[in-house]
Amino acid sequence: MSDELSFRFDVDGDNFTSAGQASVQVKKDLRRLGIDPEIIRRVSIAMYEGEINMVIHAGGGVAEVRVTEEAVEIILADNGPGIADIEQAMQAGFSTAPDTIRSLGFGAGMGLPNMKRYTDYMDIQSTVGVGTTITMRVNLPEEEE
Amino acid sequence: MTVKQLIDSCGFTAAALPDGDREVSGVYIGDLLSWVMGRAGADEAWITIMSNRNIVAVATLADTACIILAEGVVPDEGVAALAAEKGVNILQSPLSAYETALRLRDAL
């Protein structure tokens, strides 16, 4: 059995300008655990993209990060509108974000592709009208005996 | 070269310089924040014209050495203070992104 450490954050859906607080906090926490900087970078970018998505599309949600000996796992859950066509949403450049979000530099249709790109595993469970749960994992290198 | 040295040798000004001794290893240019997070490398100088609060989070998460606001863009209200608090360097350049990058090329 491996020890497990977990962090949980409520992502505020009303405040776009403060989005990213959870990801920045996770970055700090992971650094304190002595995890490799490149792995921290991947985890925190993937989480930030997910956090931004929850703010833009779902009115916020809950982010949970679990650290085991094998991997860092990020679970993002919201009660937003859901994703009708996940395959389409995964395409780089596809976006349903409004212009106000685009003017802030987001909404380029790179969020989900970035999350996939930076993680070793990603699963999207979504029901239209109910919400979306995304699970991502970034593997930790095996410790040498 | 450090961020502080870059300011002197390229004629930039500092809007926030909480970590001036940070080493700069390269350059990335971009304004779409997700694109920047997907492509910018750690320790690079990031040239952009975006000036809202989100650039501080992006620089923190992507681990860039500094943000350089090109074209004479100034940070939005409160952004410089936020950057100083979060340990993110923000420089300002009166030059275009291209000309700013050329200065960096000569300096690095």
Side-chain angles (χ1 to χ4, degrees):
Chain A
M1 279 298 288
S2 56
D3 291 331
E4 189 178 289
L5 210 80
S6 72
F7 312 95
R8 190 176 184 280
F9 303 91
D10 290 319
V11 178
D12 182 0
D14 300 325
N15 196 348
F16 187 75
T17 53
S18 70
Q21 281 176 352
S23 316
V24 171
Q25 186 57 46
V26 163
K27 184 171 188 176
K28 271 187 208 158
D29 292 338
L30 294 181
R31 197 179 283 161
R32 211 168 293 141
L33 291 174
I35 289 171
D36 176 71
E38 185 54 29
I39 287 181
I40 296 177
R41 202 171 103 90
R42 289 167 57 201
V43 168
S44 49
I45 289 173
M47 182 171 166
Y48 183 51
E49 293 284 12
E51 213 183 321
I52 292 288
N53 278 348
M54 289 199 293
V55 175
I56 295 174
H57 300 289
V62 174
E64 206 177 329
V65 178
R66 294 184 192 146
V67 185
T68 66
E69 278 178 24
E70 293 82 33
V72 180
E73 186 174 67
I74 309 151
I75 301 164
L76 305 164
D78 68 59
N79 299 314
I83 303 168
D85 186 339
I86 291 173
E87 203 178 314
Q88 188 181 36
M90 285 301 299
Q91 285 172 14
F94 177 82
S95 176
T96 57
D99 285 345
T100 47
I101 297 298
R102 289 169 190 266
S103 71
L104 290 169
F106 286 104
M110 293 298 295
L112 288 172
N114 268 355
M115 288 156 73
K116 173 107 184 152
R117 175 190 162 100
Y118 274 123
T119 54
D120 296 306
Y121 168 88
M122 174 167 156
D123 173 67
I124 304 177
Q125 296 295 328
S126 189
T127 306
V128 172
V130 177
T132 301
T133 299
I134 296 183
T135 305
M136 296 179 281
R137 267 197 291 277
V138 176
N139 295 331
L140 294 170
E142 282 182 38
E143 278 183 49
E144 289 180 24
E145 296 289 326
Chain B
M1 175 169 275
T2 67
V3 174
K4 204 180 281 173
Q5 288 166 333
L6 211 61
I7 295 171
D8 296 333
S9 59
C10 297
F12 304 146
T13 52
L17 195 62
D19 191 9
D21 293 328
R22 177 100 189 241
E23 285 286 331
V24 181
S25 69
V27 181
Y28 188 83
I29 307 177
D31 301 316
L32 289 174
L33 301 185
S34 286
W35 199 277
V36 173
M37 277 195 293
R39 309 280 167 169
D43 303 321
E44 290 183 341
W46 166 32
I47 302 173
T48 184
I49 53 165
M50 297 303 285
S51 55
N52 62 63
R53 294 170 66 92
N54 301 109
I55 61 173
V56 177
V58 168
T60 303
L61 297 168
D63 234 349
T64 55
C66 64
I67 300 168
I68 303 178
L69 299 178
E71 313 273 5
V73 167
V74 296
D76 292 0
E77 199 183 337
V79 172
L82 178 71
E85 181 195 323
K86 301 288 182 190
V88 172
N89 299 312
I90 299 184
L91 315 184
Q92 289 170 253
S93 165
L95 308 170
S96 72
Y98 171 67
E99 286 167 326
T100 300
L102 288 180
R103 291 274 175 97
L104 288 163
R105 188 183 192 284
D106 290 339
L108 291 176

